[in-house]
Amino acid sequence: MRTLGNILWFILGGFLMGLAWWLTGLVALLTIVGIPWAKACFVIGQFSFFPFGKKAVARNELSKKEDIGTGALGVLGNVIWFILAGWWLAIGHLVSALACFITIIGIPFGLQHLKLAELAVFPIGKTIVEK
């Protein structure tokens, strides 16, 4: 079921949002100072291509210890991210979610877009794991 969901997701919009994440990552990469955000964009872009069967979790919950992305610098990084790029990606996922909610079959896809919109707002300090 997960594979079927991922295939339908990829065809019906996941491809475009994954590309949006990767394009944002390329722009961040070109700025040199945006390399940490670029890495997050590429990881989340891959997650956006095929999200079913995976989830985003805070790294400090997973490892039970703080690191540079889960502490005060992570909060600062998320604020900078939100101002420069996060809200654009979140709007893309919200619009995609609304389009998916039009049909009954699209509701699971819309819910996934809402999860990705939340991740788009504050991605620093998160990691993607298998469910």
Side-chain angles (χ1 to χ4, degrees):
M1 195 65 167
R2 179 180 357 187
T3 303
L4 180 61
N6 278 325
I7 291 170
L8 287 173
W9 169 270
F10 187 80
I11 293 169
L12 299 174
F15 177 72
L16 292 176
M17 286 310 300
L19 284 181
W21 276 98
W22 282 7
L23 178 63
T24 304
L26 286 174
V27 171
L29 193 62
L30 291 175
T31 67
I32 306 300
V33 297
I35 290 174
W37 290 282
K39 181 181 180 231
C41 284
F42 294 131
V43 170
I44 297 169
Q46 183 69 30
F47 176 53
S48 186
F49 282 131
F50 303 106
F52 293 100
K54 300 176 187 170
K55 66 179 183 174
V57 296
R59 283 195 317 261
N60 60 351
E61 291 176 10
L62 193 62
S63 67
K64 304 293 185 216
K65 59 182 177 179
E66 295 287 321
D67 62 25
I68 196 166
T70 59
L73 286 175
V75 172
L76 178 63
N78 276 324
V79 169
I80 293 169
W81 167 260
F82 177 76
I83 292 169
L84 297 177
W87 66 282
W88 286 105
L89 288 166
I91 288 172
H93 282 295
L94 290 174
V95 169
S96 297
L98 289 175
C100 289
F101 284 139
I102 291 173
T103 65
I104 293 173
I105 294 172
I107 291 173
F109 300 123
L111 293 173
Q112 191 65 43
H113 273 298
L114 292 179
K115 292 176 190 175
L116 283 161
E118 180 184 354
L119 183 60
V121 174
F122 300 114
I124 305 299
K126 301 281 176 80
T127 190
I128 310 301
V129 297
E130 297 287 328
K131 282 187 181 176

